[in-house]
Amino acid sequence: MSWRNNLRDVEPYVAGEQPKMSNLIKLNTNENPYEPGEKVKEAIQSFEPFKLRLYPDADASKLKHLIAEYHGLEDDQVFLGNGSDEVLALTFLTCFNGQNPILFPDITYSFYPVYCELFNIDYKTVALDDAFKIKKEDYFNKNGGIIFPNPNAPTGELMSVDDIEDIIKHNPESVVVIDEAYIDFGGETVIPLLKKYDNLLVIHTFSKFRSLAGSRLGVALGNKELVSHLYDVKNSFNSYPIDALAQVIGEASIQDSEVIKEHAKKIIATRERTKKALKEMGFTMTDSYSNFIFIHHDDYDAEHIFKELRKKHIIVRYFNAPRINQYLRVTIGNDEEMDAFLEAVKEIIQAF
Amino acid sequence: MSWRNNLRDVEPYVAGEQPKMSNLIKLNTNENPYEPGEKVKEAIQSFEPFKLRLYPDADASKLKHLIAEYHGLEDDQVFLGNGSDEVLALTFLTCFNGQNPILFPDITYSFYPVYCELFNIDYKTVALDDAFKIKKEDYFNKNGGIIFPNPNAPTGELMSVDDIEDIIKHNPESVVVIDEAYIDFGGETVIPLLKKYDNLLVIHTFSKFRSLAGSRLGVALGNKELVSHLYDVKNSFNSYPIDALAQVIGEASIQDSEVIKEHAKKIIATRERTKKALKEMGFTMTDSYSNFIFIHHDDYDAEHIFKELRKKHIIVRYFNAPRINQYLRVTIGNDEEMDAFLEAVKEIIQAF
């Protein structure tokens, strides 16, 4: 026997790389190309460092209030965590303790099965249809919980609020978690359904729409009973996950909402323009409602394009996984970045 | 059946309150009364907000390197988390998976049993002796792991490096975790033992000694195999727990180490002076090597003093728990704060 026998062995999630090379065009982790906003700048500049000696507000109550107000909810319907990954982890730990396996798509955020392994949660993946869409009827069977992103990742495909409502209606015995990390790039949120269904939890993040991936702010919105269970679990794990600076940055970001919405519009316009140019090169793609596109070419190997782009210091995301290993997920950067990307892709396929 | 049946019910840890009243003398959560240092100020002032659009370095590699260098360790011996509470949570999840119950003192950091409940870890508490000291022989029995703070909390009592080495020697089949949150206020660290024992894990925090409770930076130091298991679990939970600003703040804090050591010396001097004054009022206390004291008076009820202090806007920590419900834990503030505290205590016991 050795102390090693007491150790937990798990296969961790692998995030998109953060390469340290210079002159990089980084289109691999769905970061926003625009700045977070003026109020965020001011919040950092006016922050008094002496305050750091104190623990932050464990409830981040001011930020919670501003988020509630922004979405037309009550404060106690808002749960905050250290990025939406932590919020998701705590959601799995809190909400998925039933007898039956939980359900999520076979092609989706690849962190979900990792959480399941970590917390010993039984799960079953449900295949997307051939067009990479979620079929709602597949989620009408007995289960211990349901989770999927809307828009889905890495496909970007959006499900309508009505279809999600149908899934919730068919699952009064499960918590249905809709991960809306990318909802603000053209999708319609299910937040209004919170008024009608108490088994719905909606996950948001400050990382994408609000350009604050560096600040680690994630949100869950639900009925107050569900939210209070999340807090009990969070307070059994880490009392103060959101540091003092992240709190004031988050507060400022809510005030910056108008300019951030303008940035999202620009990203959507760039996305549509990029799709058009790629189609002209013979690419096909899913109907993305997010700040990334998911592209395929019948004639050129995806991994080859991925590697050639990397040589040109352009990083996109390639998943060597069943069904999607001939696709690339490309974050929508600013216009200049996407022009460089399109130019590079053109060169690569011409040189094939 | 209802979705509620799938929810986890836990009894969370309750942290010391962060009251929002003004004119407060806050001596309840062991915060450092001094500022974090000039380099930390500069790091915040010179931070470029545009960087927040990007995910932070998931490995916090620069900060990790500086911490390793500071302690004379290799980079891959350093694990970083969102405050030492998160580091502890991930340590419990990673290191305590044996067949036997883990051991910790009956009087210690009250978050330990909460982690055990959250992760279904079997534990047995070991009574401190009548002087509130840990007896090393009590940890020579079969167990699934050992954890205690050194100095212990809330007693502040220090165990010698030799005694801890004896515990480690007797436990080759367990991971022994020494939580050194308060080690820099007069104690001797066990970090040098990492050269000899690969089943030792040492936990540090930036919250107390480095005046950065607001930044949420916790550290585990151990052999690289143990540390890599911690990273696997962390990367199954949250890829980026340490935000971009916290990373540069932590880096700056290491550069601020000299002034921070001076602050610790001042806190120690204030502690000794405070102890002396309290003894003159008839208080008894443990032999604290930390930035708090644990005091008792034979003639005056601890909870009464606690409540009366609160009326005077002085907050200390009272634990309504077996064996220690006639004690108060008092954080050492600056000299002015401790003078006000001593004056208030004098008034309270005179008015009894």
Side-chain angles (χ1 to χ4, degrees), chain A residues 169-342:
Chain A
K169 269 187 197 164
H170 278 84
N171 285 281
E173 296 181 10
S174 299
V175 179
V176 178
V177 182
I178 306 298
D179 180 354
E180 293 192 336
Y182 301 102
I183 199 67
D184 293 291
F185 299 103
E188 189 188 348
T189 178
V190 294
I191 290 174
L193 297 181
L194 290 173
K195 284 207 174 65
K196 291 167 73 178
Y197 303 98
D198 52 11
N199 60 327
L200 168 64
L201 194 71
V202 184
I203 312 284
H204 277 205
T205 174
F206 278 52
S207 297
K208 318 291 183 184
F209 172 57
R210 296 190 175 277
S211 294
L212 287 174
S215 282
R216 318 308 305 124
L217 288 164
V219 183
L221 308 166
N223 90 77
K224 66 181 182 178
E225 182 187 350
L226 192 47
V227 165
S228 104
H229 274 80
L230 278 170
Y231 274 111
D232 283 350
V233 168
K234 169 255 177 194
N235 286 323
S236 299
F237 182 83
N238 187 3
S239 307
Y240 310 97
I242 303 169
D243 70 42
L245 264 155
Q247 292 192 26
V248 296
I249 288 169
E251 290 157 25
S253 172
I254 300 288
Q255 297 181 294
D256 276 328
S257 294
E258 286 316 308
V259 67
I260 288 167
K261 284 177 192 167
E262 291 307 314
H263 295 163
K265 279 184 197 160
K266 278 161 79 173
I267 291 166
I268 292 169
T270 307
R271 176 184 75 205
E272 296 308 314
R273 186 174 71 76
T274 305
K275 282 164 79 168
K276 192 162 167 284
L278 286 166
K279 280 176 188 163
E280 284 163 10
M281 287 188 246
F283 281 89
T284 56
M285 59 209 68
T286 53
D287 187 20
S288 174
Y289 279 76
S290 52
N291 70 336
F292 56 82
I293 50 177
F294 197 52
I295 66 171
H296 163 80
H297 202 297
D298 278 339
D299 304 333
Y300 308 109
D301 181 65
E303 193 173 11
H304 174 80
I305 300 174
F306 166 73
K307 285 179 175 165
E308 291 299 312
L309 282 169
R310 206 175 194 291
K311 286 182 193 161
K312 295 171 186 285
H313 288 206
I314 298 174
I315 318 278
V316 301
R317 192 91 196 253
Y318 173 69
F319 300 92
N320 194 358
R323 297 187 72 186
I324 56 171
N325 62 2
Q326 279 307 321
Y327 281 79
L328 294 175
R329 193 194 67 187
V330 183
T331 303
I332 302 300
N334 61 29
D335 282 314
E336 205 183 341
E337 289 170 322
M338 298 322 285
D339 285 341
F341 164 76
L342 290 168

Side-chain angles (χ1 to χ4, degrees), chain A residues 38 56 65 67 141 146 155 173-174 186 192 206 240-241 260 336 343:
Chain A
E38 277 305 312
H65 175 69
I67 293 169
N141 304 317
I146 290 171
T155 64
E173 296 181 10
S174 299
F206 278 52
Y240 310 97
I260 288 167
E336 205 183 341
E343 188 59 34

Side-chain angles (χ1 to χ4, degrees), chain B residues 72-170:
Chain B
L73 300 170
E74 301 296 321
D75 291 13
D76 55 10
Q77 294 188 274
V78 178
F79 175 81
L80 290 170
N82 179 260
S84 64
D85 282 346
E86 188 192 62
V87 173
L88 286 168
L90 296 172
T91 296
F92 274 69
L93 193 51
T94 307
C95 301
F96 297 152
N97 298 281
Q99 296 299 315
N100 298 299
I102 70 162
L103 304 179
F104 51 80
D106 63 336
I107 298 168
T108 194
Y109 188 27
S110 49
F111 217 138
Y112 296 164
V114 175
Y115 296 132
C116 288
E117 193 203 340
L118 182 65
F119 298 130
N120 298 311
I121 297 166
D122 196 14
Y123 70 95
K124 226 164 68 181
T125 60
V126 183
L128 297 183
D129 71 12
D130 290 342
F132 286 165
K133 286 178 194 293
I134 295 172
K135 286 186 296 175
K136 64 179 178 183
E137 295 79 8
D138 291 343
Y139 295 83
F140 293 174
N141 305 316
K142 203 157 184 64
N143 62 71
I146 290 170
I147 182 163
F148 56 85
N150 192 50
N152 193 13
T155 65
E157 290 279 354
L158 186 75
M159 187 180 260
S160 72
V161 172
D162 285 351
D163 283 352
I164 293 176
E165 181 166 9
D166 232 11
I167 290 176
I168 301 167
K169 270 187 195 162
H170 278 84

